[in-house]
Amino acid sequence: MQFFEYSYLVNQSHSNSYLKYLVILFLLFFLAFVTIKYAHNRINTKYRDLGLIFFLLLIFIIGLQFTNYTQGQSNLSQFSQTAKFVEKLSKDQNVSTNDIVVSSSSLADEMVVKIKNKYYLVNFNSDYSAYQLTSAKLMNSKTQLIK
């Protein structure tokens, strides 16, 4: 079972792929080059065909990047909600946030929380505005801590 520390939840951010940005930039420059070449020599259609191919590649990669961006924003929102829950739990239990680890990076009903050396099962109400801790025992004691 994996457990996530508070510092991981706070510092986790979606990583922007700089390689994708470089590829998009390269395609834009190459598309501009091919467009200029085609404008100078309209008889040779290979530049028009190359321009069309690179334009379609550019649209495809931008679409992929937008999908990755929206997924990253969703993940970031889930991480921040879980971090706020850990902060609230630490205040309620009078422990440091460093003493709390959670089994899920997003808020989920029946997730396992470890406070110091004790495990608890968390049950949320329907709108996640209240929670209840129930003492729990792990069947498998092998845990992995993600910092």
Side-chain angles (χ1 to χ4, degrees), residues 19-55:
L19 179 63
K20 288 182 186 175
Y21 291 136
L22 286 174
V23 168
I24 290 172
L25 189 62
F26 171 75
L27 287 174
L28 280 173
F29 282 129
F30 198 76
L31 185 62
F33 172 75
V34 169
T35 303
I36 291 170
K37 284 296 235 180
Y38 175 68
H40 280 83
N41 192 1
R42 290 184 185 260
I43 296 172
N44 195 350
T45 61
K46 75 176 182 183
Y47 293 116
R48 183 191 67 192
D49 295 341
L50 280 174
L52 184 59
I53 289 169
F54 283 104
F55 177 74

Side-chain angles (χ1 to χ4, degrees), residues 27-108:
L27 287 174
L28 280 173
F29 282 129
F30 198 76
L31 185 62
F33 172 75
V34 169
T35 303
I36 291 170
K37 284 296 235 180
Y38 175 68
H40 280 83
N41 192 1
R42 290 184 185 260
I43 296 172
N44 195 350
T45 61
K46 75 176 182 183
Y47 293 116
R48 183 191 67 192
D49 295 341
L50 280 174
L52 184 59
I53 289 169
F54 283 104
F55 177 74
L56 291 175
L57 277 172
L58 183 66
I59 296 297
F60 177 71
I61 291 174
I62 288 174
L64 285 177
Q65 188 63 21
F66 179 74
T67 301
N68 290 342
Y69 174 76
T70 56
Q71 181 64 36
Q73 289 297 91
S74 174
N75 289 343
L76 189 61
S77 173
Q78 290 175 355
F79 282 123
S80 66
Q81 287 174 345
T82 307
K84 287 179 184 177
F85 167 70
V86 170
E87 290 170 1
K88 174 72 172 140
L89 186 61
S90 74
K91 287 180 185 174
D92 292 346
Q93 298 294 317
N94 285 334
V95 295
S96 169
T97 55
N98 296 330
D99 294 332
I100 299 175
V101 293
V102 294
S103 65
S104 176
S105 59
S106 61
L107 287 183

Side-chain angles (χ1 to χ4, degrees), residues 8-21:
Y8 173 81
L9 296 170
V10 171
N11 295 328
Q12 186 64 30
S13 63
H14 64 286
S15 61
N16 291 324
S17 176
Y18 293 110
L19 179 63
K20 288 182 186 175
Y21 291 136

